């Protein structure tokens, strides 16, 4: 097991780091005494990043009635937590190469991730979370499968083998990874979350998004799990396998709906995912 952990840590160490400005944003945003002004000053020091955030804020994703022309204005309108998550989403996409030798299709990967992000946010809203808190739900969905990218980039032979096994035996990639590598994308994703100093609730969602047992772990983890099944059943993109599971009893209870019932409650999902594509477009732009 030590050998496996060592191999995972070596792979995680090779992942690109976030820009300094994003590290500072995450650090500041985790401080309850942080002011909007401090956060704005950090973002302003990175003009390229500032421009990306303003483009995102003025896109159909937020659907604002009037144009936001400054980061100060954006911070007032969006709130500190949403601004933090916008910065985090853009930075994560920007840190990830567009191709890998393992053959993980990054276009399909990001479409799946966006669908899970959008569904998680919508499910959180159904349960009454505020608009500001819903930004955490979107970020958790966007990054839930980030460990697959680490595998595809830095353990490509093993990851290819796991993807092949998942297809051949019609099993989940999560299961196949455990058999081939002795660890899963959730394990290595959680290690990356530590390296990137992501907030603890994001770390938990990445680590536990397959491991909900009977459900009821935390509202956020339950929403990510349910959103993952919704996105797979509706074939939004692909992330290595197409197996989906019914919702555990506690998650059905939380929503008073089964998987098909949840899907019926998300009629605008297609359109919302389309709007969210701007994250990838702007994140990947150099």
């Amino acid at each position: 097991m030590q050998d496996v952990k060592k191999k995972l840590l070596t792979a995680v160490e090779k992942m690109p780091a976030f820009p300094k400005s994003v590290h500072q944003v995450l650090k500041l945003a985790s401080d309850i005494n942080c002011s909007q002004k401090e956060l704005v000053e950090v973002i302003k020091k990175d003009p390229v990043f500032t421009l990306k955030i303003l483009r995102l804020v003025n896109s159909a994703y937020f659907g604002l009635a009037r144009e936001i022309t400054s980061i100060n204005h954006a911070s007032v309108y969006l709130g500190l937590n949403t601004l933090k998550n916008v910065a985090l989403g853009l930075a994560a996409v920007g840190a990830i190469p567009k191709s890998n030798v393992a053959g993980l299709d990054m276009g399909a990967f990001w479409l799946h991730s966006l669908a899970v992000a959008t569904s998680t946010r919508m499910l959180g809203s159904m349960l009454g979370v505020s608009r500001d808190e819903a930004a955490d739900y979107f970020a958790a969905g966007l990054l839930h499968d980030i460990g697959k990218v680490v595998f595809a980039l830095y353990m490509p032979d093993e990851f290819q083998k796991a993807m092949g096994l998942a297809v051949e035996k019609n099993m989940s990639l999560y299961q196949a990874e455990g058999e081939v590598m002795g660890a899963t994308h959730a394990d290595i994703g959680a290690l990356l979350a530590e390296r990137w100093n992501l907030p603890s609730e994001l770390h938990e969602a990445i680590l536990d998004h397959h491991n909900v047992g009977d459900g009821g772990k935390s509202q956020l983890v339950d929403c990510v799990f349910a959103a993952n099944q919704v996105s797979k059943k509706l074939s939004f993109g692909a992330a290595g396998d197409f197996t989906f599971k019914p919702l555990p009893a506690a998650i059905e209870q939380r929503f008073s709906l089964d998987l098909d019932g949840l899907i019926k409650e998300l009629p605008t999902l297609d359109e919302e995912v389309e709007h969210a594509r701007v994250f990838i477009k702007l994140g990947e732009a150099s």
Side-chain angles (χ1 to χ4, degrees):
M1 193 62 207
Q2 276 308 103
D3 282 354
V4 173
K5 179 114 193 232
K6 198 173 168 188
K7 211 168 181 183
L8 297 184
L9 284 168
T10 303
V12 164
E13 283 304 314
K14 291 177 184 169
M15 279 296 283
F18 278 173
K20 191 179 167 192
S21 53
V22 179
H23 272 301
Q24 288 177 305
V25 165
L26 289 176
K27 197 176 171 189
L28 275 175
S30 66
D31 177 1
I32 51 164
N33 300 314
C34 163
S35 71
Q36 220 115 346
K37 187 168 178 279
E38 286 174 284
L39 198 67
V40 165
E41 286 310 311
V42 167
I43 293 171
K44 271 184 178 169
K45 283 178 188 162
D46 188 333
V48 174
F49 205 51
T50 297
L51 192 61
K52 284 185 179 188
I53 289 174
L54 287 175
R55 279 188 180 154
L56 180 63
V57 171
N58 287 304
S59 73
Y61 176 75
F62 281 105
L64 305 183
R66 48 189 286 215
E67 192 183 0
I68 303 281
T69 54
S70 71
I71 284 291
N72 296 57
H73 192 184
S75 72
V76 171
Y77 191 86
L78 298 180
L80 194 134
N81 193 50
T82 301
L83 193 58
K84 171 199 80 178
N85 281 300
V86 163
L88 172 60
L90 288 172
V93 175
I96 289 165
K98 292 179 192 174
S99 60
N100 54 82
V101 293
L104 179 65
D105 178 337
M106 291 308 295
F109 170 84
W110 280 125
L111 180 54
H112 169 74
S113 300
L114 281 177
V116 176
T118 305
S119 308
T120 304
R121 176 175 56 76
M122 291 169 85
L123 295 176
S125 299
M126 275 168 66
L127 295 175
V129 307
S130 68
R131 189 185 77 163
D132 209 30
E133 203 187 339
D136 293 328
Y137 281 58
F138 184 88
L142 187 68
L143 300 180
H144 78 289
D145 268 349
I146 203 79
K148 290 178 183 174
V149 177
V150 188
F151 279 152
L153 288 168
Y154 304 115
M155 293 172 67
D157 296 343
E158 295 99 316
F159 190 57
Q160 262 182 329
K161 199 172 168 189
M163 286 198 290
L165 185 65
V167 171
E168 185 193 324
K169 297 204 170 172
N170 194 27
M171 68 201 298
S172 75
L173 180 56
Y174 179 79
Q175 225 178 326
E177 289 165 348
E179 286 193 22
V180 172
M181 294 179 270
T184 69
H185 63 271
D187 299 320
I188 199 166
L191 290 173
L192 180 62
E194 279 174 33
R195 180 169 181 252
W196 279 351
N197 293 317
L198 300 186
S200 57
E201 66 274 12
L202 273 191
H203 178 277
E204 185 192 6
I206 291 167
L207 180 63
D208 288 333
H209 72 275
H210 282 284
N211 185 29
V212 292
D214 295 329
K217 260 202 157 157
S218 81
Q219 183 169 291
L220 175 58
V221 173
D222 283 358
C223 284
V224 174
F225 177 87
N228 199 18
Q229 310 319 312
V230 165
S231 304
K232 285 184 172 190
K233 185 158 188 185
L234 295 175
S235 301
F236 273 104
D241 72 87
F242 291 95
T243 61
F244 58 86
K245 295 176 178 173
L247 302 183
I251 298 183
E252 282 195 359
Q253 251 176 325
R254 198 187 274 286
F255 290 100
S256 305
L257 292 163
D258 63 6
L259 184 57
D260 289 329
L262 269 191
I263 288 170
K264 281 182 189 153
E265 290 295 312
L266 303 172
T268 60
L269 184 58
D270 261 336
E271 189 187 344
E272 306 243 1
V273 172
E274 204 48 50
H275 292 333
R277 279 180 186 268
V278 68
F279 266 94
I280 311 307
K281 192 176 158 196
L282 288 173
E284 286 181 342
S286 52

